[in-house]
Amino acid sequence: MMPAADSEILDINGRQVSISNPGKVLFPQPGYTKLDLVRYYLAVSEGALRGAGGRPNVLVRYPDGIEGEFFYQKRAPRARPAWVEVVMLRFPSGRSAEEVVPRDPAALAWMANLACLELHPHPVRAADLDHPDELRVDLDPVPGVPWTQLREVARVVRATLHDLLLVGWPKTSGSRGLHVNVRLEPRWTFDQVRRAALALAREVERRAPDLATSKWWKEERHGVFLDYNQNAKDRTVASAYSVRPTPDARVSAPLTWEEIDVCDPREFTLATMPSRFAEIGDRHAGIDRHSCSLEKLLELSARHEREGLGDAPWPPHFRKQPGEPARVQPSRRVSTRPLIEIGRARKKEDALAGLERWKVKHPEAAAHLAPADVLVDAMRGRFRTWTRIRLNLEHVPVALRPGQDALDPDERPDDWRDVISRDGPPRKRSRARKAS
C-alpha cells in the first residue's frame, strides 16, 4: 500500500513505521510536531524501553495535542503491525483487554504516531502479570509546596529505603513531583506490594511528620503526599523519559540521588533530553541488576497492623476491600473541615477559570485561602479524566465564609456520553473522531 501524501515512512531497524500527519503540532508554544515526538523517543529508546519495555502499556492519546482532549485506551488498536506485541490483562473490574507491549524502538515510534505522549506501563512484565517487579514511590507535593521541600522528603525516602535494604532510583515526574522506583524480585502479589508501599509511606511520615504525609484524602494532606495507591493493580504512572503534556514538553528525567539537590526539573524537555542522554546515557542503566526483597518492608507493615494501623483507603473505582476503612471523606464524617465545591469540568483549565470567577465574587474570603486550601481533584473515568475543584475554608473567618454556590462550571460526568469503538477509544455520538 502506498503511503498517503501527508505521511512519512521511517525505516527503524528494518521495520517500516508510517507516521501520519508528521507535521501536526502537538505542543503549540514551542511548535513541536508529531514527528518531533517520534524522533525524541527514537533518540532515548534504550532508556525508555528500560522503563516501559516488555510491560503492558495503557495508551494515553492526545490526538489534537496538549490543548485538545485526551483519552486512555487500554485495548490495543486492531489495525496494528504484526510485530507489535500485545498481552491480555484482566482488571479488578472483571474486564480484560489486550494491551500493547513495546519491545523495540519501532514500537515506540508506532505508539508516538498514535499521539501517545506518555508511556504508562504496568509494574509487571508480560511474562508474569501477577507479580510486580517494581515498587513505585510517588512523591506528590500539595499546592504551594516548593521543590526544596520535595528534596528534603526525597532524602528521607532514600534513608528509609536504605534501612530496609531497598535500592531506589529517582526521577522527576515531568510535572511537580518525584518518583522513586525500586526493582523487586517478582515474588509478591499486587496487594502485598501495595501494602508495602503503604508501610513505606507511613514510615516516611513518621520520620518527617511536618514534611510528608500518607493521608489519602486531600483535605487531610500537607506537604508531600506519598501515593501508596499507585501500586494497586491496574494503576499506571508515567515512566522514565515520558513526555508530559506541559507547555514546554517537559519529560520524566532519571536522576542520581545527588542530582536532586542541584537540578531544576524545567531543564528536562523533549528538546534537551536527547543531548543529555547522548552525553551521559541512562542514569537508571543499572536498575535491573538490583532486584530487591520486600521482606523487611512487609515486616514493618505487619508491625503497623499489630499496633493498630490497618489498611488505608483504596482508589474510588476499586471494590471495597477486606479490612479497608470507611471510604468516606473526613469532611462528610465530621464537620470540622468546612469544604465547598466550586465546579466540575472536562478540562482542568475550565475548572480553574471557575475558581477565578469565585474569587472575584468572594474577594474577602479568597484573601484568606492558603495554596493547600484549594483541592484540585483529577477524577478518572474509564477513558477520560475530569477535574473537580473544592475549597477548604478553615482559614477563612467564619463570618466571611460563603455558602455553597451553584457549581461553576457544572459539567457533570454523567452527561459525557461516550460510545466505545471496537478498538477501545471513545467517540462522540454525533461524529466519529479521527485519532491520529
Side-chain angles (χ1 to χ4, degrees):
M1 180 182 294
M2 294 294 292
D6 59 346
S7 68
E8 183 168 335
I9 301 293
L10 300 182
D11 187 296
I12 305 171
N13 298 331
R15 286 180 167 160
Q16 304 279 303
V17 181
S18 177
I19 309 302
S20 60
N21 299 320
K24 175 181 281 188
V25 175
L26 301 179
F27 294 87
Q29 187 171 302
Y32 300 145
T33 65
K34 187 194 288 188
L35 188 58
D36 291 329
L37 179 69
V38 171
R39 287 173 172 159
Y40 165 80
Y41 275 117
L42 293 178
V44 301
S45 60
E46 180 186 349
L49 288 168
R50 185 169 286 112
R55 304 174 182 276
N57 278 245
V58 175
L59 305 179
V60 187
R61 301 177 62 177
Y62 293 77
D64 295 320
I66 64 168
E67 294 185 353
E69 296 180 7
F70 70 97
F71 58 87
Y72 294 86
Q73 180 176 344
K74 292 183 177 181
R75 290 173 175 79
R78 292 187 179 183
R80 62 179 185 269
W83 45 261
V84 172
E85 183 179 337
V86 297
V87 68
M88 180 69 73
L89 261 70
R90 302 189 186 282
F91 307 110
S93 65
R95 298 186 181 93
S96 61
E98 285 188 328
E99 292 198 5
V100 172
V101 180
R103 295 280 187 183
D104 54 26
L108 294 179
W110 176 81
M111 292 166 69
N113 179 58
L114 296 178
C116 296
L117 304 187
E118 307 165 289
L119 301 173
H120 268 256
H122 293 265
V124 291
R125 304 284 181 172
D128 185 353
L129 300 175
D130 296 319
H131 300 94
D133 72 337
E134 191 165 83
L135 173 72
R136 295 171 172 177
V137 186
D138 182 2
L139 307 184
D140 183 10
V142 305
V145 169
W147 176 252
T148 51
Q149 183 169 335
L150 204 61
R151 288 172 175 167
E152 292 183 69
V153 175
R155 294 189 195 104
V156 179
V157 170
R158 183 185 188 185
T160 305
L161 291 174
H162 179 269
D163 292 345
L164 295 164
L165 305 183
L166 298 170
V167 181
W169 301 80
K171 66 184 184 72
T172 65
S173 69
S175 182
R176 298 180 58 245
L178 274 171
H179 298 157
V180 182
N181 293 337
V182 178
R183 274 291 186 270
L184 300 176
E185 301 165 2
R187 297 197 282 127
W188 293 276
T189 65
F190 274 95
D191 285 355
Q192 288 174 309
V193 174
R194 176 192 169 276
R195 193 58 181 262
L198 173 59
L200 177 66
R202 285 170 168 168
E203 177 62 14
V204 172
E205 181 180 34
R206 185 190 69 79
R207 296 186 183 198
D210 295 331
L211 301 176
T213 181
S214 65
K215 301 296 187 294
W216 171 251
W217 299 109
K218 284 194 174 185
E219 58 205 75
E220 293 187 315
R221 295 180 195 170
H222 68 277
V224 177
F225 170 52
L226 284 85
D227 190 353
Y228 57 89
N229 271 328
Q230 294 291 23
N231 294 274
K233 189 174 183 178
D234 195 26
R235 299 281 286 206
T236 62
V237 297
S239 63
Y241 299 99
S242 286
V243 181
R244 306 306 303 275
T246 61
D248 54 354
R250 207 171 299 180
V251 306
S252 179
L255 304 170
T256 65
W257 285 105
E258 291 71 26
E259 282 181 306
I260 293 176
D261 289 330
V262 296
C263 78
D264 182 340
R266 294 172 295 185
E267 299 170 351
F268 308 119
T269 68
L270 180 151
T272 64
M273 181 55 76
S275 59
R276 171 182 162 91
F277 189 87
E279 180 180 351
I280 66 174
D282 182 13
R283 290 299 199 195
H284 290 185
I287 189 171
D288 291 321
R289 297 194 297 271
H290 294 274
S291 294
C292 301
S293 170
L294 272 184
E295 289 174 357
K296 282 194 170 293
L297 195 46
L298 288 174
E299 288 172 5
L300 176 63
S301 177
R303 193 184 82 198
H304 286 168
E305 190 162 4
R306 289 194 300 271
E307 295 171 350
L309 281 175
D311 202 356
W314 286 64
H317 63 283
F318 280 75
R319 292 192 182 99
K320 188 74 164 56
Q321 302 293 313
E324 180 186 359
R327 198 181 292 179
V328 180
Q329 294 169 214
S331 59
R332 294 187 178 182
R333 300 197 302 263
V334 295
S335 59
T336 57
R337 294 180 182 270
L339 264 70
I340 59 173
E341 186 171 353
I342 301 303
R344 304 179 182 187
R346 181 188 295 250
K347 294 184 178 180
K348 182 178 180 180
E349 56 266 32
D350 292 341
L352 292 172
L355 172 62
E356 293 307 311
R357 290 191 290 272
W358 184 93
K359 289 180 179 179
V360 171
K361 184 178 179 181
H362 304 287
E364 293 181 321
H368 292 274
L369 294 175
D373 293 336
V374 180
L375 308 177
V376 182
D377 303 311
M379 314 296 286
R380 181 170 171 176
R382 285 185 62 194
F383 301 103
R384 302 180 187 274
T385 61
W386 54 281
T387 299
R388 176 182 67 181
I389 294 186
R390 296 173 297 152
L391 295 179
N392 182 357
L393 301 180
E394 65 178 345
H395 295 118
V396 179
V398 174
L400 298 179
R401 292 177 186 173
Q404 176 68 57
D405 293 339
L407 299 185
D408 174 25
D410 188 8
E411 297 178 351
R412 300 279 179 164
D414 289 343
D415 295 334
W416 303 341
R417 305 183 189 279
D418 289 321
V419 177
I420 311 305
S421 76
R422 296 176 65 186
D423 287 337
R427 64 180 185 270
K428 289 297 181 186
R429 290 186 183 275
S430 58
R431 60 184 177 87
R433 178 182 184 132
K434 185 177 179 182
S436 61

